[in-house]
Amino acid sequence: YNGGGVFMGSGTFSMTGGSITGNSAGTSGGGGVAISGGTFMISGGSITGNSAEAKGNGVCMTAGAFKISGNAVIASNNDVYLDSGRRITVSGEITAEDEFIATITPSSYSTGTLVMSAENGVALEDIVSKFAVTPNGTESWKIATDGTLMKEGL
C-alpha cells in the first residue's frame, strides 16, 4: 500500500496539528496515509487534497489501528477506506465544528458491519452523525449508533 504522504507499517504516529495534503498514491491506495500496521492517531490538523487511483484518497487502512479525536478533520473528498474487519476508533471527545469530520468507504456494504468503535468513555451515539459513508451506487448508507453500517431510510 502506497501511502502518498505517510506509510504506516508498524509503530505509532501521532498527528496533533498541521496537514497531510497534496499527495498521491497508485492503485494500492492511501493518497494521504496508508495504514498496514501500527497505530495512526489524529487528534488535530487535517487530511485534505490527496488522491489515490483506488482505495482511499485520504486514508487506506488494511491493518493496524486508526484512532481519531479532538479537532481533526479529514476532508469529504479524502475518504477513509476500511478493508474488511477494519474500523475507526474514536479515542476521545470530538471537538471539530465541521458538519462531517470524515467520510468512510467500507470495502463491502453490509448492514451490521462494524466500521466504528469508541474508547475512553466516548459515547458513539453522540458522534456518529459527524461521520459520513460513501454511497454504494445509488444506495445511501450511514453509521448506526452502535458503530455498524445501515442503509439510510431503514
Side-chain angles (χ1 to χ4, degrees), residues 88 90 111-118 122-131 133 141-151 154:
I88 290 177
V90 181
T111 299
T113 299
L114 185 66
V115 294
M116 183 175 292
S117 63
V122 173
L124 279 181
E125 60 268 12
D126 295 338
I127 52 95
V128 292
S129 63
K130 299 287 256 176
F131 293 83
V133 177
W141 290 77
K142 67 180 182 178
I143 302 171
T145 57
D146 64 355
T148 61
L149 287 176
M150 66 181 287
K151 285 185 183 179
L154 294 180

Side-chain angles (χ1 to χ4, degrees), residues 37-117:
T39 301
F40 183 87
M41 298 184 302
I42 181 170
S43 61
S46 63
I47 298 174
T48 182
N50 301 290
S51 63
E53 291 179 31
K55 298 181 182 177
N57 287 322
V59 178
C60 177
M61 182 180 176
T62 59
F66 179 54
K67 298 184 177 194
I68 190 167
S69 64
N71 66 350
V73 175
I74 302 168
S76 61
N77 63 349
N78 271 230
D79 64 311
V80 178
Y81 173 84
L82 301 175
D83 211 355
S84 179
R86 300 290 107 202
R87 66 180 178 268
I88 290 177
T89 299
V90 181
S91 59
E93 181 183 8
I94 299 292
T95 58
E97 297 293 325
D98 299 60
E99 180 180 3
F100 293 110
I101 62 166
T103 299
I104 295 172
T105 303
S107 61
S108 63
Y109 291 79
S110 297
T111 299
T113 299
L114 185 66
V115 294
M116 183 175 292
S117 63

Side-chain angles (χ1 to χ4, degrees), residues 17-29:
S19 63
I20 297 173
T21 186
N23 302 289
S24 62
T27 57
S28 293

